Amino acid sequence: MKSQSIMSVERSAETSLTLEIPTSPLIIKITQQERNILSNVGNLLVKAFGNYENPDYIASLHLHAFQLLPERITRILSQFGSDFSAEQYGAIVFQGLIEVDQDDLGPTPPNWQGADYGKLNKYGFICSLLHGAVPSKPVQYYAQRKGGGLLHAVIPDEKMAATQTGSGSKTDLFVHTEDAFLSNQADFLSFLYLRNEERVPSTLYSIRSHGKMNPVMKKLFEPIYQCPKDANYNDEDVANSGPTASVLYGNRELPFIRFDAAEQIFNENAGQTSEALGNLMDFWDEAKTLINSDYIPNSGDLIFVNNHLCAHGRSAFIAGQRIENGEIIKCERRQMLRMMSKTSLIHIRSVTRTDDPYFIMEEHLGKIFDLD
């Protein structure tokens, strides 16, 4: 018969090996001292380089990040960049990263085309430093706004209110990994909230929340799934079928994910085979129970995402109003800034512009845009 001490040791060892399944993002509360440092650094970089897209600045981004960012933030992001473990959710919320001067920001424009990037310049420097700490380099995609620069203003557009895009509002934006239809999608994303007066929850979903690999997930390694272009494309640009890919990839026990529920499952024109659609529906039945919608971003918050581990979305809302005590209150419309980055410029070189290694020209799962 085992002694109590031996049984206690075995239970302790068993407990230490128990997997802690992540179900929500890591939340980091930024101190006032860290906020002050970031503000001063942003002002300094504006004076030194003029614009966050300055080639001299971007070329030495990693050096600036490690020299200028508060040490705690640098350490967190540097570790995050290479942590693909079972316990890593794949997203970090930096609460109160910056203070946004709402008066200086002015009214939210009617759409992203009306954004005043002169007022967003400082924020572009701060966002890029965070990507530099991973370390990764900010990039732009022709598939997104025909490029549109390294920083994108994401603003609800009344003309696109019902769409599954960042400009939508009146329908839930299904969780998706950014540009799931690309083979060279962004590695990391940042979402800086300048204002969220409508109190719109941000939805996140991590492949790690499933825990250990199961039979349903194993089927998603098969390269049989259509990955349609998203709703940013015109209908005539979206084919009923195209090249196929796997939904899960990388390590067979701790996989990465490319997934867009709206386009792969609920798009009637996706062209999935019955086998592929059945597998996706089985997966979605489990995945949708793991979506986290607990966090409502405040002005100045930033969500940093590993785009291979964590999908994102948002709840439906009516732009420019919120409900308080049963009453409809008018407010400034939501405004967010998105930046995307890649850890290796070498690995994407075959799909970038010849004269700009930060500009990705991929159209659909390896196919390059033909602009001739």
Side-chain angles (χ1 to χ4, degrees):
M1 192 171 195
K2 291 183 179 179
S3 68
Q4 284 189 335
S5 60
I6 293 175
M7 291 173 66
S8 176
V9 169
E10 287 180 346
R11 280 197 299 269
S12 176
E14 202 174 288
T15 301
S16 67
L17 294 173
T18 300
L19 174 66
E20 185 174 342
I21 299 174
T23 58
S24 60
L26 175 66
I27 296 180
I28 302 295
K29 295 183 178 179
I30 301 301
T31 67
Q32 185 61 53
Q33 182 182 25
E34 289 169 331
R35 259 191 305 279
N36 292 341
I37 291 173
L38 287 169
S39 180
N40 291 334
V41 164
N43 292 333
L44 175 68
L45 291 173
V46 169
K47 290 181 179 178
F49 293 100
N51 187 278
Y52 53 85
E53 293 192 352
N54 185 318
D56 292 336
Y57 167 70
I58 294 296
S60 54
L61 177 62
H62 305 334
L63 182 62
H64 294 308
F66 284 92
Q67 286 183 332
L68 301 175
L69 282 175
E71 182 178 352
R72 182 173 73 120
I73 295 175
T74 306
R75 288 184 180 278
I76 289 170
L77 286 169
S78 180
Q79 190 272 341
F80 181 72
S82 57
D83 183 2
F84 313 134
S85 67
E87 293 81 16
Q88 175 56 255
Y89 186 81
I92 303 174
V93 176
F94 290 100
Q95 277 188 335
L97 184 79
I98 61 169
E99 292 177 356
V100 180
D101 186 333
Q102 297 295 326
D103 292 334
D104 180 66
L105 187 61
T108 302
N111 48 49
W112 62 263
Q113 292 92 334
D116 182 354
Y117 281 87
K119 293 183 177 181
L120 308 178
N121 196 28
K122 177 179 175 180
Y123 304 134
F125 276 111
I126 293 172
C127 291
S128 62
L129 286 174
L130 299 186
H131 287 268
V134 168
S136 60
K137 294 279 194 182
V139 293
Q140 58 179 313
Y141 289 79
Y142 192 84
Q144 295 261 8
R145 305 178 180 181
K146 296 184 178 179
L150 299 180
L151 186 72
H152 289 171
V154 180
I155 295 169
D157 184 339
E158 188 60 32
K159 295 179 181 179
M160 300 183 70
T163 64
Q164 284 288 312
T165 68
S167 298
S169 56
K170 292 182 179 179
T171 60
D172 290 338
L173 179 61
F174 283 98
V175 290
H176 60 285
T177 54
E178 196 74 14
D179 295 338
F181 59 92
L182 299 182
S183 299
N184 298 277
Q185 71 274 46
D187 295 331
F188 295 94
L189 313 167
S190 62
F191 301 99
L192 175 61
Y193 292 82
L194 300 182
R195 55 173 59 124
N196 187 30
E197 296 182 21
E198 296 98 336
R199 309 298 296 151
V200 186
S202 178
T203 55
L204 295 168
Y205 154 72
S206 173
I207 187 62
R208 294 292 181 263
S209 296
H210 292 262
K212 292 183 178 180
M213 182 64 56
N214 61 46
V216 171
M217 294 167 66
K218 286 181 180 179
K219 295 178 181 178
L220 300 185
F221 279 97
E222 300 174 31
I224 62 172
Y225 302 95
Q226 294 286 341
C227 300
K229 299 176 186 179
D230 64 26
N232 285 297
Y233 284 84
N234 297 324
D235 290 340
E236 59 268 21
D237 295 329
V238 181
N240 289 333
S241 63
T244 57
S246 63
V247 171
L248 299 184
Y249 59 98
N251 187 277
R252 288 274 170 168
E253 297 300 321
L254 295 172
F256 294 143
I257 183 171
R258 72 168 67 251
F259 181 60
D260 187 331
E263 301 301 335
Q264 291 183 291
I265 298 176
F266 301 109
N267 179 356
E268 295 179 354
N269 298 317
Q272 304 289 4
T273 65
S274 58
E275 178 188 3
L277 185 58
N279 293 346
L280 287 168
M281 289 299 297
D282 290 343
F283 175 67
W284 180 243
D285 285 342
E286 182 176 341
K288 65 186 179 183
T289 68
L290 302 173
I291 294 173
N292 186 301
S293 301
D294 296 339
Y295 192 70
I296 299 176
N298 291 308
S299 173
D301 290 356
L302 183 141
I303 301 180
F304 203 89
V305 176
N306 181 327
N307 194 41
H308 300 278
L309 293 179
C310 190
H312 63 279
R314 53 138 184 81
S315 300
F317 67 104
I318 298 178
Q321 68 179 55
R322 64 176 180 270
I323 297 177
E324 289 185 6
N325 301 320
E327 293 186 10
I328 297 176
I329 306 296
K330 289 187 176 182
C331 62
E332 276 294 341
R333 291 158 56 250
R334 192 171 185 258
Q335 189 168 358
M336 182 180 75
L337 301 178
R338 175 185 60 200
M339 185 171 280
M340 300 174 279
S341 65
K342 294 291 291 183
T343 57
S344 173
L345 298 182
I346 292 174
H347 290 157
I348 61 172
R349 188 57 179 143
S350 64
V351 296
T352 62
R353 284 184 170 175
T354 302
D355 60 346
D356 188 348
Y358 307 100
F359 202 130
I360 298 171
M361 300 299 296
E362 185 183 9
E363 180 181 7
H364 192 198
L365 291 176
K367 179 184 176 184
I368 309 300
F369 279 99
D370 182 5
L371 302 180
D372 295 333

